[in-house]
Short mmCIF file of all heavy atoms in Angstrom, two decimals:
data_model
loop_
_atom_site.label_atom_id
_atom_site.label_comp_id
_atom_site.label_asym_id
_atom_site.label_seq_id
_atom_site.Cartn_x
_atom_site.Cartn_y
_atom_site.Cartn_z
N PHE P 2 116.26 145.24 19.59
CA PHE P 2 115.57 146.44 19.12
C PHE P 2 114.19 146.52 19.77
O PHE P 2 113.49 145.50 19.90
CB PHE P 2 115.44 146.39 17.60
CG PHE P 2 114.55 147.44 17.03
CD1 PHE P 2 115.01 148.73 16.81
CD2 PHE P 2 113.24 147.14 16.69
CE1 PHE P 2 114.19 149.70 16.28
CE2 PHE P 2 112.40 148.10 16.16
CZ PHE P 2 112.88 149.38 15.94
N VAL P 3 113.81 147.73 20.15
CA VAL P 3 112.47 147.96 20.69
C VAL P 3 111.64 148.81 19.74
O VAL P 3 110.58 148.40 19.29
CB VAL P 3 112.55 148.64 22.08
CG1 VAL P 3 111.14 148.95 22.60
CG2 VAL P 3 113.32 147.76 23.06
N THR P 4 112.16 149.99 19.42
CA THR P 4 111.41 150.91 18.57
C THR P 4 112.35 151.98 18.04
O THR P 4 113.44 152.19 18.59
CB THR P 4 110.24 151.54 19.35
OG1 THR P 4 109.51 152.42 18.49
CG2 THR P 4 110.76 152.33 20.53
N ALA P 5 111.93 152.66 16.97
CA ALA P 5 112.72 153.75 16.40
C ALA P 5 111.79 154.77 15.78
O ALA P 5 110.64 154.45 15.42
CB ALA P 5 113.71 153.22 15.36
N ILE P 6 112.30 155.97 15.63
CA ILE P 6 111.54 157.05 15.01
C ILE P 6 112.46 157.86 14.12
O ILE P 6 113.62 158.13 14.48
CB ILE P 6 110.86 157.94 16.07
CG1 ILE P 6 109.92 158.95 15.43
CG2 ILE P 6 111.91 158.65 16.94
CD1 ILE P 6 109.00 159.65 16.44
N ARG P 7 111.96 158.22 12.96
CA ARG P 7 112.72 159.07 12.05
C ARG P 7 112.46 160.52 12.46
O ARG P 7 111.32 160.95 12.54
CB ARG P 7 112.28 158.82 10.61
CG ARG P 7 113.22 159.36 9.56
CD ARG P 7 113.06 158.63 8.26
NE ARG P 7 111.69 158.67 7.78
CZ ARG P 7 111.21 157.81 6.87
NH1 ARG P 7 111.98 156.87 6.39
NH2 ARG P 7 109.96 157.92 6.46
N TRP P 8 113.55 161.22 12.72
CA TRP P 8 113.42 162.55 13.33
C TRP P 8 112.66 163.51 12.42
O TRP P 8 111.86 164.32 12.89
CB TRP P 8 114.82 163.09 13.63
CG TRP P 8 114.81 164.21 14.62
CD1 TRP P 8 114.72 165.54 14.34
CD2 TRP P 8 114.85 164.09 16.04
NE1 TRP P 8 114.71 166.25 15.52
CE2 TRP P 8 114.79 165.41 16.57
CE3 TRP P 8 114.92 163.03 16.92
CZ2 TRP P 8 114.83 165.67 17.93
CZ3 TRP P 8 114.96 163.28 18.28
CH2 TRP P 8 114.91 164.58 18.77
N SER P 9 112.85 163.41 11.11
CA SER P 9 112.30 164.41 10.20
C SER P 9 110.79 164.34 10.06
O SER P 9 110.10 165.37 10.09
CB SER P 9 112.93 164.24 8.81
OG SER P 9 112.68 162.92 8.32
N ASP P 10 110.25 163.14 9.93
CA ASP P 10 108.81 163.03 9.66
C ASP P 10 108.05 162.22 10.70
O ASP P 10 106.84 162.04 10.58
CB ASP P 10 108.57 162.43 8.28
CG ASP P 10 109.16 161.04 8.12
OD1 ASP P 10 109.66 160.48 9.12
OD2 ASP P 10 109.15 160.52 7.00
N GLY P 11 108.75 161.70 11.71
CA GLY P 11 108.07 160.97 12.77
C GLY P 11 107.68 159.56 12.43
O GLY P 11 106.92 158.93 13.18
N ASN P 12 108.14 159.04 11.30
CA ASN P 12 107.82 157.66 10.95
C ASN P 12 108.39 156.71 12.01
O ASN P 12 109.52 156.90 12.47
CB ASN P 12 108.41 157.33 9.57
CG ASN P 12 107.71 156.17 8.94
OD1 ASN P 12 106.51 155.99 9.12
ND2 ASN P 12 108.44 155.35 8.20
N THR P 13 107.60 155.71 12.40
CA THR P 13 108.00 154.86 13.51
C THR P 13 108.12 153.39 13.12
O THR P 13 107.51 152.93 12.15
CB THR P 13 107.00 154.98 14.67
OG1 THR P 13 105.69 154.65 14.19
CG2 THR P 13 106.99 156.38 15.24
N TYR P 14 108.88 152.66 13.92
CA TYR P 14 109.12 151.24 13.72
C TYR P 14 109.08 150.57 15.09
O TYR P 14 109.58 151.13 16.06
CB TYR P 14 110.50 151.01 13.08
CG TYR P 14 110.69 151.77 11.80
CD1 TYR P 14 111.06 153.11 11.80
CD2 TYR P 14 110.47 151.16 10.57
CE1 TYR P 14 111.21 153.82 10.63
CE2 TYR P 14 110.63 151.86 9.38
CZ TYR P 14 111.00 153.18 9.43
OH TYR P 14 111.14 153.88 8.26
N TYR P 15 108.47 149.38 15.16
CA TYR P 15 108.33 148.69 16.43
C TYR P 15 108.67 147.21 16.30
O TYR P 15 108.38 146.57 15.29
CB TYR P 15 106.89 148.80 16.94
CG TYR P 15 106.48 150.18 17.36
CD1 TYR P 15 105.82 151.02 16.47
CD2 TYR P 15 106.76 150.65 18.64
CE1 TYR P 15 105.45 152.31 16.85
CE2 TYR P 15 106.39 151.93 19.02
CZ TYR P 15 105.74 152.75 18.12
OH TYR P 15 105.37 154.02 18.51
N ALA P 16 109.25 146.68 17.37
CA ALA P 16 109.41 145.24 17.45
C ALA P 16 108.03 144.62 17.70
O ALA P 16 107.18 145.22 18.36
CB ALA P 16 110.35 144.87 18.60
N ASP P 17 107.82 143.43 17.19
CA ASP P 17 106.52 142.78 17.34
C ASP P 17 106.16 142.60 18.82
O ASP P 17 104.99 142.65 19.19
CB ASP P 17 106.53 141.41 16.66
CG ASP P 17 106.53 141.53 15.15
OD1 ASP P 17 106.19 142.61 14.62
OD2 ASP P 17 106.88 140.54 14.47
N SER P 18 107.16 142.39 19.65
CA SER P 18 106.92 142.11 21.07
C SER P 18 106.35 143.31 21.83
O SER P 18 105.78 143.13 22.92
CB SER P 18 108.21 141.65 21.74
OG SER P 18 109.21 142.64 21.63
N VAL P 19 106.48 144.51 21.28
CA VAL P 19 106.00 145.69 21.99
C VAL P 19 104.91 146.43 21.22
O VAL P 19 104.34 147.40 21.75
CB VAL P 19 107.17 146.66 22.31
CG1 VAL P 19 108.26 145.96 23.05
CG2 VAL P 19 107.68 147.33 21.04
N LYS P 20 104.63 146.00 20.02
CA LYS P 20 103.65 146.68 19.18
C LYS P 20 102.29 146.70 19.89
O LYS P 20 101.83 145.69 20.39
CB LYS P 20 103.56 145.97 17.83
CG LYS P 20 103.05 146.82 16.71
CD LYS P 20 103.20 146.09 15.37
CE LYS P 20 104.66 145.94 14.98
NZ LYS P 20 104.83 145.31 13.66
N GLY P 21 101.69 147.88 19.93
CA GLY P 21 100.40 148.01 20.58
C GLY P 21 100.50 148.35 22.05
O GLY P 21 99.51 148.73 22.67
N ARG P 22 101.69 148.21 22.63
CA ARG P 22 101.88 148.52 24.06
C ARG P 22 102.82 149.71 24.27
O ARG P 22 102.63 150.48 25.21
CB ARG P 22 102.45 147.30 24.79
CG ARG P 22 101.58 146.07 24.74
CD ARG P 22 102.12 144.97 25.66
NE ARG P 22 103.45 144.53 25.27
CZ ARG P 22 104.50 144.56 26.08
NH1 ARG P 22 104.39 145.02 27.31
NH2 ARG P 22 105.69 144.11 25.66
N PHE P 23 103.81 149.82 23.41
CA PHE P 23 104.80 150.89 23.54
C PHE P 23 104.58 151.93 22.44
O PHE P 23 104.19 151.57 21.32
CB PHE P 23 106.22 150.34 23.41
CG PHE P 23 106.68 149.48 24.55
CD1 PHE P 23 105.81 149.03 25.54
CD2 PHE P 23 108.02 149.14 24.65
CE1 PHE P 23 106.26 148.24 26.59
CE2 PHE P 23 108.49 148.35 25.69
CZ PHE P 23 107.60 147.90 26.66
N THR P 24 104.89 153.18 22.75
CA THR P 24 104.79 154.25 21.78
C THR P 24 106.02 155.14 21.87
O THR P 24 106.36 155.62 22.96
CB THR P 24 103.54 155.10 22.01
OG1 THR P 24 102.37 154.27 21.96
CG2 THR P 24 103.42 156.19 20.95
N ILE P 25 106.66 155.36 20.74
CA ILE P 25 107.79 156.28 20.69
C ILE P 25 107.30 157.61 20.13
O ILE P 25 106.45 157.64 19.23
CB ILE P 25 108.95 155.71 19.84
CG1 ILE P 25 110.20 156.59 19.96
CG2 ILE P 25 108.54 155.53 18.39
CD1 ILE P 25 111.44 155.98 19.31
N SER P 26 107.84 158.69 20.67
CA SER P 26 107.47 160.00 20.17
C SER P 26 108.66 160.94 20.35
O SER P 26 109.62 160.61 21.04
CB SER P 26 106.24 160.55 20.91
OG SER P 26 106.52 160.69 22.30
N ARG P 27 108.54 162.13 19.73
CA ARG P 27 109.64 163.07 19.82
C ARG P 27 109.09 164.47 20.03
O ARG P 27 107.99 164.79 19.58
CB ARG P 27 110.49 163.04 18.56
CG ARG P 27 109.90 163.76 17.38
CD ARG P 27 110.30 163.19 16.07
NE ARG P 27 109.97 164.03 14.94
CZ ARG P 27 108.74 164.18 14.45
NH1 ARG P 27 107.72 163.61 15.04
NH2 ARG P 27 108.53 164.93 13.38
N ASP P 28 109.90 165.27 20.68
CA ASP P 28 109.59 166.69 20.85
C ASP P 28 110.77 167.44 20.26
O ASP P 28 111.82 167.55 20.87
CB ASP P 28 109.39 167.02 22.33
CG ASP P 28 108.95 168.45 22.56
OD1 ASP P 28 109.36 169.34 21.78
OD2 ASP P 28 108.20 168.69 23.52
N ASN P 29 110.56 167.96 19.05
CA ASN P 29 111.67 168.61 18.36
C ASN P 29 112.18 169.83 19.12
O ASN P 29 113.38 170.10 19.16
CB ASN P 29 111.23 169.01 16.95
CG ASN P 29 111.04 167.82 16.05
OD1 ASN P 29 111.27 166.68 16.45
ND2 ASN P 29 110.60 168.07 14.83
N ALA P 30 111.27 170.57 19.72
CA ALA P 30 111.67 171.79 20.41
C ALA P 30 112.55 171.50 21.62
O ALA P 30 113.45 172.27 21.97
CB ALA P 30 110.43 172.57 20.84
N LYS P 31 112.30 170.36 22.25
CA LYS P 31 113.06 169.99 23.44
C LYS P 31 114.18 169.02 23.13
O LYS P 31 114.92 168.62 24.04
CB LYS P 31 112.12 169.35 24.48
CG LYS P 31 111.08 170.30 25.03
CD LYS P 31 110.24 169.61 26.09
CE LYS P 31 109.22 170.57 26.69
NZ LYS P 31 108.39 169.93 27.73
N ASN P 32 114.31 168.63 21.88
CA ASN P 32 115.33 167.64 21.50
C ASN P 32 115.26 166.41 22.40
O ASN P 32 116.28 165.94 22.95
CB ASN P 32 116.74 168.24 21.55
CG ASN P 32 116.99 169.18 20.40
OD1 ASN P 32 116.47 169.00 19.30
ND2 ASN P 32 117.78 170.21 20.65
N THR P 33 114.06 165.92 22.56
CA THR P 33 113.83 164.79 23.46
C THR P 33 112.97 163.75 22.78
O THR P 33 112.03 164.07 22.04
CB THR P 33 113.16 165.27 24.76
OG1 THR P 33 113.99 166.22 25.40
CG2 THR P 33 112.93 164.10 25.71
N VAL P 34 113.32 162.50 23.03
CA VAL P 34 112.54 161.37 22.53
C VAL P 34 111.97 160.63 23.73
O VAL P 34 112.64 160.48 24.77
CB VAL P 34 113.42 160.42 21.70
CG1 VAL P 34 112.64 159.18 21.30
CG2 VAL P 34 113.93 161.14 20.46
N TYR P 35 110.74 160.17 23.60
CA TYR P 35 110.05 159.50 24.69
C TYR P 35 109.69 158.07 24.30
O TYR P 35 109.44 157.78 23.13
CB TYR P 35 108.77 160.25 25.06
CG TYR P 35 109.01 161.68 25.45
CD1 TYR P 35 108.79 162.71 24.53
CD2 TYR P 35 109.45 162.02 26.72
CE1 TYR P 35 109.01 164.03 24.86
CE2 TYR P 35 109.67 163.35 27.07
CZ TYR P 35 109.46 164.34 26.13
OH TYR P 35 109.67 165.66 26.48
N LEU P 36 109.62 157.22 25.30
CA LEU P 36 109.12 155.88 25.11
C LEU P 36 108.06 155.64 26.17
O LEU P 36 108.38 155.48 27.35
CB LEU P 36 110.24 154.84 25.24
CG LEU P 36 109.80 153.39 25.11
CD1 LEU P 36 109.15 153.14 23.74
CD2 LEU P 36 110.98 152.43 25.31
N GLN P 37 106.82 155.65 25.73
CA GLN P 37 105.70 155.37 26.62
C GLN P 37 105.46 153.87 26.62
O GLN P 37 105.21 153.29 25.56
CB GLN P 37 104.44 156.11 26.17
CG GLN P 37 103.22 155.82 27.04
CD GLN P 37 103.35 156.36 28.45
OE1 GLN P 37 103.79 157.49 28.64
NE2 GLN P 37 102.96 155.55 29.43
N MET P 38 105.54 153.27 27.78
CA MET P 38 105.40 151.82 27.89
C MET P 38 104.17 151.50 28.75
O MET P 38 104.14 151.86 29.93
CB MET P 38 106.66 151.21 28.51
CG MET P 38 107.93 151.54 27.77
SD MET P 38 109.39 150.72 28.43
CE MET P 38 109.50 151.50 30.04
N ASN P 39 103.19 150.87 28.14
CA ASN P 39 101.97 150.48 28.82
C ASN P 39 101.85 148.97 28.87
O ASN P 39 102.52 148.26 28.13
CB ASN P 39 100.75 151.08 28.11
CG ASN P 39 100.76 152.59 28.09
OD1 ASN P 39 101.28 153.24 29.01
ND2 ASN P 39 100.20 153.17 27.04
N SER P 40 100.97 148.50 29.73
CA SER P 40 100.72 147.05 29.86
C SER P 40 102.03 146.29 29.99
O SER P 40 102.26 145.28 29.31
CB SER P 40 99.93 146.55 28.64
OG SER P 40 98.71 147.23 28.52
N LEU P 41 102.88 146.75 30.86
CA LEU P 41 104.20 146.15 31.01
C LEU P 41 104.12 144.73 31.52
O LEU P 41 103.23 144.39 32.33
CB LEU P 41 105.05 147.01 31.93
CG LEU P 41 105.63 148.27 31.27
CD1 LEU P 41 106.08 149.28 32.32
CD2 LEU P 41 106.78 147.90 30.35
N LYS P 42 105.05 143.91 31.05
CA LYS P 42 105.12 142.51 31.42
C LYS P 42 106.48 142.23 32.07
O LYS P 42 107.45 142.95 31.80
CB LYS P 42 104.98 141.63 30.17
CG LYS P 42 103.73 141.89 29.36
CD LYS P 42 103.75 141.07 28.08
CE LYS P 42 102.52 141.35 27.22
NZ LYS P 42 102.54 140.56 25.96
#
């Protein structure tokens, strides 16, 4: 598991290994989910 987002309210969950580096987000209008990954290892 890396991360998850609840579609209705945007609540998010992260694995400890990526917390603070990765961000999950959603665009309801585009029906698209994004995973922004920074400080990659």
Side-chain angles (χ1 to χ4, degrees):
F2 170 82
V3 177
T4 181
I6 187 168
R7 195 157 56 199
W8 198 269
S9 58
D10 60 7
N12 202 34
T13 57
Y14 305 82
Y15 292 95
D17 288 342
S18 59
V19 306
K20 204 171 292 183
R22 299 188 298 122
F23 290 11
T24 302
I25 188 172
S26 62
R27 77 210 192 285
D28 185 327
N29 290 358
K31 295 183 178 180
N32 286 328
T33 301
V34 174
Y35 303 99
L36 178 60
Q37 178 67 44
M38 304 185 294
N39 298 329
S40 302
L41 282 162
K42 305 175 182 180

